Amino acid sequence: RRPPRSTLFPYTTLFRSVGEILQPHLQQRVACNWVVGPVSQPGDLARQLKAHGFSCRIHCAGMACILDALGQPPPLPEGSLIELVDTPRPLLPLSTERRQRRHEGRTLMARFPPRKVWHFSATLDGLPVGETTLLSGATVAGLYDVEVLERFRRRGIGSALVHAVLRHGKKLGYRAVVLGATGMGASVYARAGFREVCRLSFWKYGKMRQLTLAKPSLVSGSCACYNAFGRRFSDLRPRPW
């Protein structure tokens, strides 16, 4: 059966196109992530990824928050602060090569013009305890890597980070923020106004040592994730959830 004409890759060259995207990762000996969502085309993209050696690592909820009626942020614990920062504040000592390179990459990503990446830091009594990142896409903004150190969880810090990103996304002119939610964070996102709109599958090639300047999920995964959501929200209209 001939696929729709609106496919991201021409159907006749799909296998070759996946190989071409994978090739630089093989040359640099880094893993490659690919997110498959409801608008990913062609419909057998997952089969083509599998044929190239990718494996599906996780299925999760694709969630979205409409920013038209954004509520008030939750109260912060005493002594805590949420800030937009140019240089991310490490939550853990930069004692390994991987941590150092991830930190360098995240810092560089926020400096590329035009700016598309914003990092937020949560501190408690001056100590970095949480972080998250906002990436801007064609029609929506993406929320990535919400993390709070375990001993500081259940204090509202994660919720405050999420609300800071939502407010900044609205300030940038976006009407929706999207994310891929694991089971642990889904309840936090739901309380912030996110609702499940689709299911996402995260595919990965290789177990090779990570030598990239940034975390792969922030580099190769982000574009595919925006494609998975983008068309769905390209002509978004306000509606009750």
Side-chain angles (χ1 to χ4, degrees), residues 125-190:
D125 297 328
L127 176 70
V129 297
E131 64 182 13
T132 189
T133 296
L134 175 72
L135 281 76
S136 63
T139 58
V140 294
L143 173 61
Y144 284 83
D145 287 357
V146 180
E147 184 175 358
V148 177
L149 294 177
E150 186 172 2
R151 65 183 182 276
F152 297 103
R153 293 173 186 170
R154 301 186 182 278
R155 304 188 190 187
I157 295 174
S159 295
L161 281 166
V162 171
H163 274 270
V165 166
L166 296 179
R167 293 194 300 274
H168 193 69
K170 186 173 183 177
K171 180 180 177 180
L172 293 174
Y174 289 99
R175 292 188 51 215
V177 171
V178 299
L179 56 83
T182 60
M184 188 189 324
S187 60
V188 174
Y189 304 136

Side-chain angles (χ1 to χ4, degrees), residues 1 4 15 44 61 65 80 101 119 121 126 154 156 190 197 215 219 227 229 231 236:
R1 183 171 61 89
F15 189 85
D44 67 343
C65 179
S80 61
R101 288 183 175 273
H119 299 301
S121 174
R154 301 186 182 278
V197 295
K215 195 174 180 180
V219 181
N227 177 60
F229 279 106
R231 296 183 190 175
L236 196 61

Side-chain angles (χ1 to χ4, degrees), residues 110-133:
R111 296 177 180 175
F112 290 146
R115 190 165 184 177
K116 298 289 185 180
V117 177
W118 291 264
H119 299 301
F120 292 81
S121 174
T123 57
L124 184 62
D125 297 328
L127 176 70
V129 297
E131 64 182 13
T132 189
T133 296

Side-chain angles (χ1 to χ4, degrees), residues 191-217:
R191 289 195 297 271
F194 283 85
R195 297 294 180 266
E196 182 175 336
V197 295
C198 67
R199 301 295 296 178
L200 300 174
S201 299
F202 286 76
W203 292 72
K204 184 174 182 177
Y205 182 95
K207 297 181 180 179
M208 296 171 286
R209 185 181 181 190
Q210 303 303 299
L211 297 177
T212 49
L213 288 180
K215 195 174 180 180
S217 60

Side-chain angles (χ1 to χ4, degrees), residues 8-160:
L8 178 61
F9 301 117
Y11 188 78
T12 55
T13 62
L14 174 60
F15 189 85
R16 186 184 71 199
S17 298
V18 173
E20 290 173 350
I21 291 173
L22 180 59
Q23 189 59 36
H25 295 77
L26 296 176
Q27 292 173 349
Q28 298 178 43
R29 295 185 58 78
V30 296
C32 179
N33 295 344
W34 200 307
V35 184
V36 177
V39 299
S40 297
Q41 295 286 350
D44 67 343
L45 177 58
R47 182 175 65 84
Q48 299 285 357
L49 293 174
K50 187 174 182 179
H52 275 278
F54 283 82
S55 61
C56 184
R57 301 300 176 91
I58 189 173
H59 299 283
C60 72
M63 304 184 76
C65 179
I66 308 303
L67 303 179
D68 294 343
L70 191 59
Q72 292 297 314
L76 279 171
E78 184 177 353
S80 61
L81 180 66
I82 307 295
E83 294 180 285
L84 175 63
V85 295
D86 291 328
T87 302
R89 296 167 180 163
L91 301 184
L92 298 172
L94 301 179
S95 54
T96 66
E97 182 183 14
R98 179 165 181 167
R99 289 179 185 176
Q100 293 168 6
R101 288 183 175 273
R102 179 177 184 267
H103 178 70
E104 291 170 5
R106 297 179 73 230
T107 301
L108 288 173
M109 288 168 65
R111 296 177 180 175
F112 290 146
R115 190 165 184 177
K116 298 289 185 180
V117 177
W118 291 264
H119 299 301
F120 292 81
S121 174
T123 57
L124 184 62
D125 297 328
L127 176 70
V129 297
E131 64 182 13
T132 189
T133 296
L134 175 72
L135 281 76
S136 63
T139 58
V140 294
L143 173 61
Y144 284 83
D145 287 357
V146 180
E147 184 175 358
V148 177
L149 294 177
E150 186 172 2
R151 65 183 182 276
F152 297 103
R153 293 173 186 170
R154 301 186 182 278
R155 304 188 190 187
I157 295 174
S159 295

